[in-house]
Amino acid sequence: DVLLHMRPTAAEIDGDSVRAVTVSHVLTGDHVVLHAPYIVDATETGELLALAEIEHVIGAEAQADTGELHAPAAADPQDQQAVTWCFAMDHLPGEQHIIDRPDDYDFWRTYAADFWSGNLLSWTDVDPQTNQPRTLPLFDDGVNGAPNKPGSRWLYRRMLATEQHLPGAFRSDITLVNWPQNDYWLSPIIGVSADERERHLRGARQLSYALLYWMQTEAPRGDGGQGYPGLRLRHDVFGTSHGLAKSVYVRESRRIVPEFRVTEQHVGVAARGDQVGAEVFDDTVGTGSYRIDLHASLSGGYAYIDIDSWPFQIPLGALLPVRVENLLPACKNIGTTHITNGCYRLHPVEWNIGEAVGALIAYCLTHKTAPRQVRADRVHLRAFQNLLHDQLGFELDWPAYAYRTPRLGREMPWLIRELRRKR
C-alpha cells in the first residue's frame, strides 16, 4: 500500500528490533501505525534512525576516528553539506516575468562568506576542484564566444533543449537551477530543533527566490545591461504553487553506525596511494562511481571538498546497523563517513542501495534467515550475490577498463596491465 503525504513521527522499539512505526498525515495529523517484520528507512535525512534510537552519526567525524586524509581534526555534527531548493525556469526575451521582490532579498544580494569568491549572488563562484574563483555567465551572449556554448550557466543543468524538437514545439529551453548560488549553508537542517529546521528551510527557499529576482533585475548581461526580465519561473515543471521543487535537495543524511564503515582509504585516489582501484569488497551488493564531492559547509569553513575517487563497490556490511536487526537504510543513510558520503550519496548509488536492501529482505524472508547472517555465512552470501547478479542484473564489480578516474583516464593501458598483474 502506498500512503501519500505521510511522515514518520514515532517508533516502537523492542530490544534490538523495531516493532512498529507511526506515520502522520502532514495536513490532517491523522496517524497510522505500521507493523512489519522489516522496516526500511528511505527518508532523505534518516528520520527513522533518530526516532528508533538507532546508533547513527551526523556531520563530520574526527580524523583520529576515521584516519581519513581530508577529515577535520575534530568531530563536528554541524559540519554538513549545503542544501539546495531547486527550481526550473525558461527564458522569453521581450517579456516581463519578474517575481515579487523576496522578503529576504536585501540580505542575500550582499551576502558573502569568508570562504567564497565574493557575493553569493554573482556570476563568479568557486571552482569545486581548485576552490579558486571562476566566472560563468548565464548566457554566453557574445562575451566569451558563440551563444550558449558549453560553459554557459544556462546549459549547465538544461532539462529541455528546443533544438532537439520540432521547430515551434517549445517557446524556450528549460533549465534547472541547482547552482552554487542557491546552495544554502547558513545552518544544517539535521540535528537542530524543529523550529530551527523550518527557519532554515524557509531561508533556503528565500535564497532561491532571491537568486531568480537578482537574475531578472540586477544580474550583469553581456551587452552591458542588467537583468533578464524574460526569465520565467516554471511552476508547472514541479507542480507546485510556490514554483520551487516539492522538497529541498539534501546531500547529507544521518548515517548508521554499521558493521562495516566505508572510509576515504577505501575509495579515495590520494588516500590509496599507489594502489590501483578502490578496495575490493567480498560482500559487494553493487557499484557506484562519482567523485568525492562535498558542497559548502559554514561550520566546516570550506567551499568544496572535491577530490578524485576510484569507481567503487557497495559493501553489504555498510547497509547493516551495528545492533538493530530489522531496520535497514536504503539511500544515503548507510555506513559511510562525512567524506565518503560525498561519492556514495549520488542518486544511481542510492537506487542501487535501495534495490539491494529490498532484495535482501526478500531473500531473508524466503530463506528464514537474517540480514546479518547473510553477510556472516559464506554460503548465504554467495547465494544472495548470485541472485543479485544472475537473476536481477546487478553489477557487483567494475570491469578492468572502468578502473579509471577523469584525471587518470589517459593511463588506461598501464592500469589494465597493473590490474591483471594484481589480480
Side-chain angles (χ1 to χ4, degrees):
D1 297 327
V2 178
L3 307 180
L4 298 177
H5 311 298
M6 296 288 193
R7 62 165 54 119
T9 52
E12 178 186 333
I13 307 161
D14 181 8
D16 293 338
S17 295
V18 179
R19 293 303 181 196
V21 173
T22 300
V23 295
S24 303
H25 197 282
V26 296
L27 300 177
T28 67
D30 293 341
H31 303 304
V32 178
V33 180
L34 306 176
H35 298 267
Y38 287 96
I39 308 291
V40 173
D41 185 347
T43 64
E44 280 290 274
T45 55
E47 292 298 303
L48 287 181
L49 304 185
L51 290 174
E53 300 178 357
I54 293 169
E55 293 83 353
H56 65 275
V57 177
I58 59 174
E61 299 91 344
Q63 190 174 63
D65 173 17
T66 67
E68 292 174 309
L69 186 63
H70 290 88
D76 184 0
Q78 295 285 303
D79 185 358
Q80 300 173 35
Q81 292 191 63
V83 300
T84 307
W85 215 303
C86 305
F87 62 92
M89 64 181 184
D90 60 8
H91 185 224
L92 304 173
E95 297 187 11
Q96 294 280 337
H97 294 283
I98 299 174
I99 64 172
D100 293 339
R101 184 184 178 95
D103 292 340
D104 296 354
Y105 185 66
D106 287 342
F107 171 80
W108 286 115
R109 73 187 298 268
T110 59
Y111 173 76
D114 292 342
F115 52 73
W116 207 246
S117 57
N119 285 0
L120 183 58
L121 300 188
S122 167
W123 296 136
T124 299
D125 55 30
V126 173
D127 182 271
Q129 294 181 32
T130 66
N131 278 292
Q132 296 301 308
R134 67 172 182 185
T135 300
L136 291 174
L138 178 60
F139 302 109
D140 208 344
D141 46 9
V143 179
N144 296 307
N148 293 344
K149 73 175 183 180
S152 68
R153 208 168 289 275
W154 184 261
L155 297 186
Y156 176 45
R157 296 192 187 275
R158 186 171 55 164
M159 304 167 68
L160 184 145
T162 54
E163 67 262 26
Q164 300 296 331
H165 300 271
L166 293 175
F170 297 96
R171 297 180 64 195
S172 167
D173 294 349
I174 301 175
T175 197
L176 177 73
V177 181
N178 174 14
W179 299 346
Q181 288 88 341
N182 61 331
D183 272 6
Y184 183 89
W185 58 63
L186 296 190
S187 170
I189 60 171
I190 300 174
V192 298
S193 69
D195 288 345
E196 212 35 23
R197 173 185 168 88
E198 289 306 313
R199 185 164 74 86
H200 290 293
L201 288 175
R202 176 195 172 277
R205 291 192 294 270
Q206 280 289 304
L207 171 56
S208 288
Y209 287 132
L211 173 58
L212 175 59
Y213 187 79
W214 174 81
M215 289 191 290
Q216 293 172 325
T217 61
E218 294 192 72
R221 297 198 311 260
D223 62 5
Q226 286 187 309
Y228 297 89
L231 292 176
R232 180 174 61 164
L233 182 62
R234 290 293 299 263
H235 295 68
D236 57 314
V237 170
F238 290 116
T240 60
S241 60
H242 53 67
L244 307 181
K246 292 183 178 181
S247 299
V248 70
Y249 174 29
V250 179
R251 295 179 174 87
E252 186 168 342
S253 172
R254 297 174 179 88
R255 305 181 298 277
I256 64 167
V257 175
E259 278 200 354
F260 177 83
R261 180 173 63 177
V262 181
T263 67
E264 186 181 355
Q265 296 90 300
H266 296 123
V267 298
V269 171
R272 291 186 64 73
D274 59 0
Q275 298 181 83
V276 177
E279 186 79 13
V280 176
F281 296 126
D282 184 62
D283 61 343
T284 175
V285 293
T287 58
S289 181
Y290 199 72
R291 294 176 62 79
I292 293 175
D293 172 20
L294 279 70
H295 283 230
S297 166
L298 187 63
S299 179
Y302 55 81
Y304 291 97
I305 297 175
D306 190 299
I307 51 181
D308 286 322
S309 60
W310 294 102
F312 51 83
Q313 295 171 311
I314 303 167
L316 179 57
L319 278 54
L320 303 178
V322 71
R323 176 183 57 85
V324 173
E325 298 291 345
N326 72 327
L327 187 143
L328 296 171
C331 44
K332 61 176 73 75
N333 51 354
I334 67 169
T336 56
T337 64
H338 175 65
I339 299 295
T340 53
N341 167 75
C343 58
Y344 277 78
R345 68 176 174 84
L346 267 291
H347 314 315
V349 186
E350 288 192 281
W351 299 333
N352 192 150
I353 292 166
E355 292 190 14
V357 164
L360 176 62
I361 291 172
Y363 181 92
C364 289
L365 292 173
T366 299
H367 294 274
K368 295 181 172 52
T369 187
R372 211 176 306 283
Q373 284 303 112
V374 173
R375 181 171 185 256
D377 185 300
R378 190 171 184 83
V379 173
H380 273 309
L381 178 60
R382 291 294 177 258
F384 177 56
Q385 289 174 320
N386 289 339
L387 168 71
L388 292 178
H389 184 269
D390 298 343
Q391 296 185 40
L392 301 180
F394 282 54
E395 293 296 339
L396 302 183
D397 195 4
W398 287 95
Y401 64 78
Y403 273 82
R404 58 179 174 173
T405 70
R407 293 182 182 177
L408 295 178
R410 63 185 182 275
E411 306 273 352
M412 280 310 300
W414 171 79
L415 289 178
I416 292 173
R417 288 196 303 271
E418 185 66 14
L419 278 167
R420 286 172 177 166
R421 183 191 65 77
K422 176 182 174 184
R423 296 189 177 186

